[in-house]
């Protein structure tokens, strides 16, 4: 018997990022990574161990524990000037699940989702999984999504716009004015602005602004994954006004039930505990960014200085060719085409790697870039 698969799923490509990892050899320097290269802080690990010892190992409320949602609510107030009550917050399995819930709650067959091109690989794939159609919004010369470019692409079928600042893969940070203009478009045209803020604490110039300050149509997605170096704990959250949250809850209830009880305890310790680990990571990332940007510029490589996240997205002419030549020279990067057709002239270089590795990688890059 031959299984038949749904066409709209079969047509989705396996992530280009995974493909580049699988090709890596032993002496290669991996600058393809999308996760911080730090340990999860000890006090966070301890909270998880304590949860296990205590037997806190069952399902939790679908929305997540009351304690964690209260902590997230307070975090929104302090960090983002947002008033989300615990009833407007749901804990998810990473930002990945939160993004899926946000898109699945608003998209029906053939509906359109506006997505920056290039952008994080999940956005267009999740749109297709839910039967929607990704509509690409080419980034402007500063590698940002511009409200004018978004406005031109709004149609009757537009259900969502995804904004990601600081940005993966470009490292760009949108200004308050840009975010307000994007939020106004969501209000004027009744679509959801899904704001993916997982890199909010990795900003080296400028400040992080949550667009939910400007509109009730915003669905805010975040996670402890990048902020506290907890990608493997699979712990994220989504916040939105109550009707939107209830609709997302229906999907979460039947696909996930609840996020891991142990990871929820760990996340609570991370969010309510000392924040010097975050400051430390930010300082180290900034130092590495400066070295990488300088090293690339000294070679004559063209790039827009990334103000956030932990990626540089230089212009290299032909990204696929450059990434493959770098791979042969023992440096893993990700071709920009993995993030959308408009990324094809770039590569993404992650600086979630020790400074010595970055310096060695720069040496190896010299002959190639
Ligand atoms: C922009 C962006 N959003 C979401 C995610 C997924 O985060 P999580 O590990 O919390 O699912 C990533 C991971 O690389 C990302 O870069």
């Amino acid at each position: 018997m031959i299984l038949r698969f749904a066409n709209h799923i079969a047509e989705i490509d396996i992530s280009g990022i995974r493909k580049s990892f699988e090709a890596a050899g032993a002496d290669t320097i991996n600058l393809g990574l999308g996760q911080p290269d730090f340990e999860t802080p000890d006090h966070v690990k301890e909270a998880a161990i304590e949860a296990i010892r205590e037997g806190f190992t069952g399902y939790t409320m679908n929305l997540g524990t009351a304690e964690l949602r209260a902590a997230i609510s307070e975090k929104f107030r302090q960090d983002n000037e947002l008033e989300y009550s615990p009833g407007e917050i749901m804990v998810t399995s990473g930002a990945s699940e939160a993004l899926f819930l946000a898109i699945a709650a608003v998209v029906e067959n053939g509906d359109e989702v506006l997505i920056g091109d290039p952008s994080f690989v999940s956005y267009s794939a999740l749109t297709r999984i839910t039967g929607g159609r990704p509509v690409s919004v080419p980034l402007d010369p500063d590698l940002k999504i511009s409200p004018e470019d978004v406005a031109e692409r709004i149609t009757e079928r537009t259900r969502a716009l995804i904004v990601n600042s600081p940005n993966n893969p470009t490292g760009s940070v949108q200004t308050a004015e840009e975010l307000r203009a994007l939020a106004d478009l969501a209000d004027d045209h009744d679509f959801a602005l899904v704001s993916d803020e997982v890199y909010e604490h990795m900003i080296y110039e400028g400040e992080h602004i949550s667009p939910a300050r400007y509109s009730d149509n915003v669905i805010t997605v975040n996670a402890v994954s990048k902020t506290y170096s907890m990608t493997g704990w699979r712990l994220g959250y989504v916040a939105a006004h109550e009707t939107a949250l209830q609709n997302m809850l229906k999907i979460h209830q039947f696909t996930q039930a609840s996020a891991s009880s142990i990871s929820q305890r760990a996340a609570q310790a991370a969010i309510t505990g000392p924040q010097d680990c975050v400051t430390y990571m930010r300082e180290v990332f900034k130092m590495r960014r400066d070295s990488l940007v300088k090293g690339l510029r000294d070679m004559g490589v063209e790039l827009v200085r990334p103000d956030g996240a932990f990626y540089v997205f230089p212009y290299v002419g032909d990204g696929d060719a450059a990434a493959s030549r770098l791979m042969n020279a023992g440096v893993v990067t990700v071709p920009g085409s993995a993030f959308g057709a408009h990324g094809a002239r770039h590569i993404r270089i992650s600086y979630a790697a020790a400074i010595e590795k970055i310096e060695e990688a720069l040496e190896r890059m010299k002959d190639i870039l």
Side-chain angles (χ1 to χ4, degrees):
M1 201 174 78
I2 296 171
L3 284 178
R4 289 174 50 136
F5 297 98
N7 267 333
H8 70 288
I9 303 297
E11 281 165 8
I12 297 170
D13 277 339
I14 292 291
S15 163
I17 301 185
R18 283 267 167 280
K19 281 185 211 161
S20 57
F21 292 158
E22 282 158 12
D27 174 45
T28 44
I29 299 174
N30 194 343
L31 303 186
L33 287 176
Q35 61 182 345
D37 55 316
F38 300 92
E39 286 271 320
T40 298
D42 279 340
H43 68 279
V44 174
K45 291 182 184 169
E46 289 303 326
I49 293 165
E50 182 55 31
I52 296 172
R53 290 229 165 85
E54 232 181 71
F56 189 69
T57 52
Y59 295 121
T60 70
M61 282 175 72
N62 295 131
L63 282 181
T65 66
E67 294 82 1
L68 177 55
R69 285 180 297 119
I72 295 169
S73 169
E74 185 54 32
K75 170 250 174 289
F76 275 127
R77 187 170 303 119
Q78 281 187 13
D79 293 355
N80 311 107
E81 294 178 37
L82 296 178
E83 295 291 332
Y84 281 121
S85 71
E88 295 170 314
I89 293 165
M90 178 160 55
V91 181
T92 59
S93 280
S96 299
E97 192 212 349
L99 287 165
F100 170 66
L101 299 178
I103 296 171
V106 297
V107 169
E108 285 183 36
N109 251 350
D111 283 344
E112 296 171 2
V113 178
L114 297 167
I115 294 169
D117 184 354
S119 66
F120 175 49
V121 290
S122 290
Y123 304 152
S124 66
L126 289 175
T127 301
R128 287 186 206 279
I129 288 170
T130 57
R133 202 168 73 76
V135 173
S136 131
V137 184
L139 300 187
D140 70 14
D142 289 333
L143 302 176
K144 294 203 262 184
I145 196 161
S146 95
E148 294 73 29
D149 292 336
V150 168
E152 275 173 21
R153 288 165 177 81
I154 295 170
T155 72
E156 290 286 295
R157 302 294 312 252
T158 306
R159 291 291 172 274
L161 159 71
I162 306 181
V163 174
N164 174 217
S165 174
N167 189 274
N168 174 11
T170 70
S172 65
V173 176
Q174 305 278 158
T175 64
E177 295 73 46
E178 290 159 355
L179 292 168
R180 184 189 285 274
L182 292 167
D184 286 348
L185 289 173
D187 276 348
D188 295 346
H189 300 274
D190 300 321
F191 60 77
L193 190 167
V194 179
S195 178
D196 178 346
E197 308 185 10
V198 296
Y199 296 102
E200 69 168 329
H201 289 288
M202 282 136 198
I203 289 199
Y204 320 108
E205 278 84 26
E207 61 169 332
H208 175 70
I209 305 281
S210 291
R213 280 202 211 169
Y214 308 123
S215 162
D216 284 344
N217 282 6
V218 174
I219 299 176
T220 304
V221 169
N222 210 329
V224 293
S225 308
K226 315 280 175 174
T227 306
Y228 302 99
S229 205
M230 292 177 68
T231 51
W233 298 75
R234 310 308 308 131
L235 206 292
Y237 47 96
V238 58
H241 67 74
E242 205 159 337
T243 321
L245 200 85
Q246 289 303 314
N247 278 290
M248 291 189 276
L249 175 60
K250 292 177 205 167
I251 311 167
H252 174 77
Q253 241 174 11
F254 299 118
T255 54
Q256 189 69 29
S258 72
S260 147
S261 58
I262 300 152
S263 297
Q264 290 189 63
R265 278 285 180 83
Q268 194 184 326
I271 293 171
T272 58
Q275 301 296 301
D276 44 342
C277 49
V278 182
T279 313
Y280 171 75
M281 270 203 284
R282 180 168 46 241
E283 280 165 4
V284 174
F285 277 134
K286 180 174 190 300
M287 216 172 58
R288 294 173 181 172
R289 180 208 59 171
D290 291 343
S291 298
L292 186 55
V293 164
K294 180 171 184 312
L296 289 167
R297 284 192 170 145
D298 287 350
M299 278 175 226
V301 175
E302 233 179 278
L303 59 90
V304 179
R305 186 193 64 189
D307 289 343
F310 40 74
Y311 310 106
V312 183
F313 201 62
Y315 175 86
V316 291
D318 178 342
D320 289 347
S324 132
R325 269 180 299 169
L326 284 169
M327 173 73 82
N328 293 335
V331 181
V332 181
T333 59
V334 183
S337 60
F339 307 96
H342 287 267
R345 293 172 178 281
H346 299 254
I347 53 172
R348 187 191 75 174
I349 309 176
S350 159
Y351 47 92
I355 189 76
E356 301 76 38
K357 295 232 162 119
I358 292 171
E359 275 160 9
E360 170 61 25
L362 280 167
E363 276 306 311
R364 296 184 189 181
M365 285 175 186
K366 268 185 189 151
D367 296 333
I368 292 157
L369 301 183

